[in-house]
Amino acid sequence: TDDSCISFIHLAIRKRVMDFHVVIRSSDTKLTFEHDLKFLYYLASTCYDLFNDECDRVRLRFNLNSAHIVG
């Protein structure tokens, strides 16, 4: 939900597996992470649609550096 929170997205295709790796700097797990996650699933599925002739499956990896509940 904030462009400063998702700090890194790396996409690689190896051995017909699309590896979609995301680093999230900070996320309020109660209020905003759900929205970030939905966006990342959308982005990964869009990338898969673009490269589906080169891969059979997708592996999603999410690293949350600071997962917290505010308030």
Side-chain angles (χ1 to χ4, degrees):
T1 60
D2 187 339
D3 62 359
S4 65
C5 292
I6 297 172
S7 61
F8 174 85
I9 298 175
H10 182 258
L11 177 85
I13 300 172
R14 294 184 183 97
K15 297 182 181 178
R16 301 199 54 84
V17 176
M18 177 181 289
D19 191 21
F20 190 84
H21 182 205
V22 178
V23 175
I24 300 173
R25 178 192 60 79
S26 177
S27 184
D28 181 336
T29 56
K30 184 176 180 183
L31 299 177
T32 61
F33 182 63
E34 174 186 3
H35 304 289
D36 290 339
L37 194 59
K38 286 179 182 179
F39 166 71
L40 293 167
Y41 275 116
Y42 167 77
L43 186 59
S45 67
T46 300
C47 292
Y48 178 76
D49 289 343
L50 289 171
F51 297 103
N52 66 1
D53 58 332
E54 298 176 39
C55 55
D56 300 319
R57 61 191 176 104
V58 179
R59 176 177 44 216
L60 302 173
R61 295 189 297 156
F62 302 102
N63 291 32
L64 280 76
N65 291 330
S66 177
H68 53 272
I69 297 172
V70 177

